[in-house]
Amino acid sequence: MALLVIDFLVIVCALYAWGMTGWSESYDSAGTGPSSASRVASQASGLLIAGAIITGGGLLAKGWRIAGIVQLVVLGGAAALFSFAAGG
């Protein structure tokens, strides 16, 4: 249960960073070049997929199937959503 709370905390922090970056870019008058928000989203996606592999895989290796699958689904799903937000 504690890992699930930590997962959601990491997801919320990544979502906040992505949202604040996108919001601050809305005030950029130039609008040229790659988006910083997409870079933040791809970094968040990488962080979340690494967390899913490490924690979910570790729990599965220890024999805790339900907890490992929950880790993989929650963190992997959030990584997929951030990957979609990053545009690739």
Side-chain angles (χ1 to χ4, degrees), residues 5-67:
V5 172
I6 293 170
D7 292 345
F8 286 127
L9 183 64
V10 169
I11 292 168
V12 166
C13 289
L15 186 62
Y16 178 76
W18 175 65
M20 290 301 290
T21 303
W23 174 73
S24 67
E25 280 185 349
S26 69
Y27 290 104
D28 185 19
S29 61
T32 58
S35 171
S36 295
S38 65
R39 188 180 74 242
V40 169
S42 65
Q43 289 173 349
S45 177
L47 174 76
L48 291 170
I49 198 68
I53 292 170
I54 291 170
T55 59
L59 288 171
L60 286 174
K62 288 187 69 84
W64 295 3
R65 292 183 184 191
I66 294 175

Side-chain angles (χ1 to χ4, degrees), residues 63-84:
W64 295 3
R65 292 183 184 191
I66 294 175
I69 291 171
V70 167
Q71 287 291 104
L72 288 172
V73 168
V74 170
L75 291 176
L81 291 175
F82 274 110
S83 177
F84 179 72

